[in-house]
Amino acid sequence: MTIPAQSAPSASGPLHGVRVVELVGIGPGPFAAMLLADLGADVIRVDRPGGNALQLGPAEKDILGRGRPSVAIDLKNPRGVETVLDLVASADILIEGLRPGVTERLGLGPADCHARNPALVYGRMTGWGQDGPLAQAAGHDINYIAVAGALGAIGRAGGPPQVPLNLVGDFAGGSLYLVTGLLAALTHARSTGEGQVVDAAITDGTAHLMSMIVAMQQSGGWSDRRGTNMLDTGTPFYDVFETSDEQWMSVGPLEPQFFAALVEGLGVDLPGQYDIGRWDELRETLTSTFASRTRAEWVDVFDGTDACVAPVLSLTEAYEHPHNVARGTYVEHHGLTQPAPAPRFSATPATLTTAPETAGASTAEALAAWGVADVDQLIADGVAVQAPRDTTTPTKGTS
């Protein structure tokens, strides 16, 4: 099966005309900038000369860097700081993901930027937030979701908490909340001329994501004992089951009509769905039944049904699943397989544009396009760095 190619780049998307300065950090900040670029914003990526020391693999394969030019500027040089302030003067949004106080020490804090552009939306992406006892502490996704209460809720009964990659904290509790805040503040700025600071803390966003679970816990419908609840494998009909070829099927028919479709597909007698006293028997029957056939056979059985049963795919298998192929969920673009922009818009469709590039590959061109004067002199003096542009096509696959 062939992964669809992304359509030709075009200046489109609902954020066309919005200008964003990104002071490059790691993880959730770049993902937020990528999302804005995917949706049509004109984002300029301000890298350190030489790139990020924590870069995971070649920059040309770093999908989080797609859709925007990279300029390399020495922020320890006052002229470098002034160059960024020149960019800020014509920007709508700035994103930074450094520890609280770092941009202030650089001369690029909110007060510095608002002095140049009072309507600027200044987005701050951190794990712990701009204040509080942990504000200056180091941390990563696993720490943030642990303190927010999410990590302790994920896992099986009697087992340790299970780490959900860095999706719940960095990207859901962090990037998506930052983007939501930026766009809300941009609406306010465009109607009033008043910019503001958006303090996006991963702990805050993750706690907000837990709203339904918190509500269930407060009403007595959720136990703090991991793996004993409806959505954490505590119920036998919301779980994964191994097949005869050591693959897995996901099973989640919460509603009675969907459970009935599961029973019909399995072709065995099962205890009543909510006969809690027989849940051990139900789990054992589901386990042995799914273990009797291959994953492919179960896919055929449940194809077209409402049993809420789906195969557990590896990432590379997901690239070529018929549903994902039909919708273009993953696409080929610049030699890389990558997720297509999401969500989708009927009037202002988003498209992928430029490929990820090395730090500073577009310094001269991008600074000039943003109206910065004396770009050649800035490069000659080492204030900005023009890196060689890689003209090769990235090799398909992961780094």
Side-chain angles (χ1 to χ4, degrees):
M1 190 172 293
T2 302
I3 300 170
Q6 173 69 33
S7 58
S10 63
S12 64
L15 296 183
H16 179 59
V18 174
R19 306 189 95 190
V20 181
V21 175
E22 173 196 5
L23 303 183
V24 174
I26 60 173
F31 182 79
M34 183 202 81
L35 177 52
L36 294 172
D38 282 355
L39 299 183
D42 179 5
V43 184
I44 188 167
R45 177 181 169 103
V46 179
D47 271 299
R48 304 169 187 172
N52 194 323
L54 293 179
Q55 180 72 47
L56 301 178
E60 298 84 356
K61 290 187 178 182
D62 180 10
I63 292 171
L64 297 189
R66 76 188 185 192
R68 55 211 195 270
S70 169
V71 302
I73 299 175
D74 181 4
L75 297 183
K76 295 181 180 180
N77 187 313
R79 290 169 62 198
V81 171
E82 186 62 29
T83 300
V84 173
L85 290 174
D86 287 342
L87 299 175
V88 164
S90 63
D92 298 292
I93 293 169
L94 179 141
I95 294 174
E96 64 96 356
L98 305 175
R99 287 201 201 190
V102 171
T103 56
E104 284 86 348
R105 292 193 292 273
L106 289 171
L108 292 170
D112 304 298
C113 291
H114 284 141
R116 295 291 294 271
N117 182 352
L120 180 75
V121 175
Y122 193 105
R124 315 197 83 164
M125 180 76 263
T126 60
W128 306 114
Q130 296 299 308
D131 53 35
L134 294 174
Q136 292 296 330
H140 281 296
D141 177 292
I142 192 171
N143 312 120
Y144 310 138
I145 68 172
V147 170
L151 181 59
I154 302 172
R156 295 187 176 277
Q162 295 297 305
V163 181
L165 304 181
N166 66 334
L167 300 178
V168 172
D170 279 352
F171 299 131
S175 306
L176 297 185
Y177 277 87
L178 174 62
V179 169
T180 300
L182 293 174
L183 297 182
L186 180 61
T187 299
H188 173 79
R190 288 193 163 179
S191 63
T192 66
E194 178 186 24
Q196 60 183 301
V197 176
V198 177
D199 174 7
I202 293 173
T203 47
D204 294 347
T206 301
H208 197 257
L209 287 171
M210 292 287 286
S211 294
M212 187 180 82
I213 306 303
V214 169
M216 294 172 70
Q217 187 269 329
Q218 296 291 308
S219 63
W222 188 273
S223 167
D224 268 347
R225 291 183 297 114
R226 187 168 46 252
T228 63
N229 301 288
M230 179 180 291
L231 303 177
D232 63 358
T233 73
T235 52
F237 48 86
Y238 199 85
D239 207 340
V240 293
F241 296 93
E242 191 171 10
T243 58
S244 63
D245 54 345
E246 299 182 332
Q247 300 295 320
W248 296 85
M249 297 294 289
S250 66
V251 177
L254 296 178
E255 296 83 356
Q257 68 272 27
F258 301 152
F259 185 80
L262 172 68
V263 174
E264 181 179 356
L266 292 176
V268 296
D269 292 328
L270 295 178
Q273 182 176 14
Y274 287 101
D275 185 351
I276 298 176
R278 299 182 67 188
W279 271 5
D280 287 345
E281 179 187 347
L282 174 56
R283 187 180 297 276
E284 290 172 3
T285 302
L286 290 172
T287 299
S288 61
T289 303
F290 275 102
S292 68
R293 299 189 189 184
T294 66
R295 187 182 70 178
E297 289 174 321
W298 286 121
V299 168
D300 288 340
V301 166
F302 289 105
D303 183 37
T305 75
D306 281 340
C308 302
V309 176
V312 178
L313 303 179
S314 70
L315 188 53
T316 51
E317 287 175 323
Y319 296 160
E320 297 191 348
H321 186 276
H323 182 80
N324 294 335
V325 170
R327 284 185 58 82
T329 301
Y330 291 99
V331 296
E332 284 279 340
H333 193 62
H334 286 101
L336 295 171
T337 297
Q338 48 191 298
R344 304 180 186 205
F345 300 85
S346 61
T348 55
T351 58
L352 295 181
T353 54
T354 58
E357 61 184 29
T358 56
S362 297
T363 296
E365 178 184 358
L367 289 180
W370 272 63
V372 173
D374 300 323
V375 174
D376 291 342
Q377 192 62 50
L378 290 172
I379 293 173
D381 294 342
V383 177
V385 176
Q386 174 65 54
R389 186 182 294 275
D390 186 354
T391 59
T392 62
T393 299
T395 302
K396 179 182 175 181
T398 58
S399 58

